[in-house]
Amino acid sequence: MTLVPARENVLAWLSDRVPAARIKHILGVEQTAGDLARHYGLDEAKARTAGLLHDLAKYFKPQLLLHMAQKEGLELDSVLEAHPHLLHADASAIVARDEFGVVDREILDAIAHHTLGRPNMSQLSCTVFIADTIEPGRGNTAQLEALREASWQNLYAAVWQTSDYSLKYLLETRCYIHPRTVLTRNWALQMARPETGNSTKQSIKQITS
């Protein structure tokens, strides 16, 4: 069993399945997640591995994503069934496990949580969640630069601000919003602002339990 697959094998696999522009994004996430992990004293190698593997299933067809999710026993809801693309994160974790022998749960969770997030996700998962949005190839808008600055100050604040950034885009484009994105945002906001009190913490716990 392999903890970290050979990087050249992953890149060769990706080169046959995703466009060059997506590989550039993947390499940006790999680098950014590793940098954030090192900054916060986390396992840099795990963060880089999760970043490298996070979009393995990005271009899988919708029916394949649904089939993989059903076979894995993942909970599906109306949003995921209507937009199977949102399952590409979970499917990428499955490919990382089955194709590349990754068995480390923290790495697999970081891959699976990079799109929608999840309340109570690990700090390593947070780095990949953030890196997916702020990696250099995403652009240099004022909003992104603010997110990049926030990512070095407080990991959880960066998660909720990244969630807000995504929610704003989804609202403006009238796209479906998966409830997990909102739950992730509220959880991260509480983690970043513990002074909001136990009542807020308890209400979030009730929602996410």
Side-chain angles (χ1 to χ4, degrees), residues 5-15 52 100:
R7 188 170 183 270
E8 60 270 20
N9 292 344
V10 177
L11 291 174
W13 190 94
L14 286 167
S15 68
L52 181 65
F100 294 104

Side-chain angles (χ1 to χ4, degrees), residues 31-44 47-48 123 127 148-155 158:
Q31 178 70 47
T32 304
D35 291 346
L36 287 171
R38 184 172 64 253
H39 178 71
Y40 287 104
L42 307 173
D43 192 313
E44 182 178 352
R48 287 181 178 275
Q123 290 185 322
T127 67
R148 288 171 183 140
E149 179 65 25
S151 72
W152 296 105
Q153 305 302 321
N154 185 301
L155 193 62

Side-chain angles (χ1 to χ4, degrees), residues 163-178:
S163 299
D164 280 359
Y165 178 83
S166 298
L167 288 166
K168 183 173 183 289
Y169 171 79
L170 293 170
L171 288 167
E172 289 176 347
T173 54
R174 298 182 178 180
C175 291
Y176 284 98
I177 294 173
H178 195 277

